[in-house]
Amino acid sequence: MDKTNFMRRAIEISRREMLEHGAAPFGAVVVKDGKIVGEGCNHVVNRHDPTSHGEIEAIRDAGRNLGTWDLSGCDLYTTCEPCEMCVAAMFWAGIDTLYYANTLADAEALGFDLQPLRDMVRADLHERALPTERLLAAEAREVLDLWTTQPNFDTFQG
Ligand SMILES: [Zn+2]
């Protein structure tokens, strides 16, 4: 299968999930070694999950199917250029290459306003629109330090 087949599959998913399940038509697939290992679609409204973007769902599906959080060696195909949350998820997953079809400008033309998210992500912690307060730093730090001595310690950098 070539790249257009993978993108076509993501588009099919977006159309099917929208028509059959009331999803928003943002589909994605994760591909490894020429095979689809994860699929997803935006189910924010119908599953009451604000993080259910197509890319996140495809990454979760790929992780479950491959039995690892480490998706290095995988590419992600999405029907729309990803938001900052999904770019961050791709970073943590170690996705190799991103392929997209629609642009964020296309989505914004429909009424999505992503500028406040961009501004918030780029701003320093205390300059963000989201009110933020630090609590119990020493107690939380104790657990972080304890983790470095545990067999499951991992910085998730591959
Ligand atoms: Zn997103």
Side-chain angles (χ1 to χ4, degrees), residues 25-65:
F26 299 97
V29 298
V30 174
V31 173
K32 183 171 192 175
D33 300 329
K35 280 201 220 155
I36 292 176
V37 295
E39 296 185 339
C41 191
N42 181 309
H43 289 281
V44 167
V45 174
N46 56 332
R47 291 186 187 158
H48 318 294
D49 180 353
T51 67
S52 178
H53 288 196
E55 298 91 334
I56 302 259
E57 294 295 339
I59 286 169
R60 287 176 177 152
D61 192 40
R64 281 189 297 265
N65 290 334

Side-chain angles (χ1 to χ4, degrees), residues 84 115-125 127-128:
E84 279 71 7
Q115 195 57 46
L117 172 60
R118 281 186 208 111
D119 293 344
M120 176 128 70
V121 169
R122 287 182 186 151
D124 288 339
L125 189 62
E127 291 167 3
R128 293 178 187 159

Side-chain angles (χ1 to χ4, degrees), residues 120-142:
M120 176 128 70
V121 169
R122 287 182 186 151
D124 288 339
L125 189 62
H126 291 285
E127 291 167 3
R128 293 178 187 159
L130 181 71
T132 303
E133 183 182 348
R134 191 174 190 195
L135 294 172
L136 300 179
E139 289 177 40
R141 180 63 203 220
E142 225 176 87

Side-chain angles (χ1 to χ4, degrees), residues 53 55 83 85-86:
H53 288 196
E55 298 91 334
C83 75
M85 174 178 74
C86 293

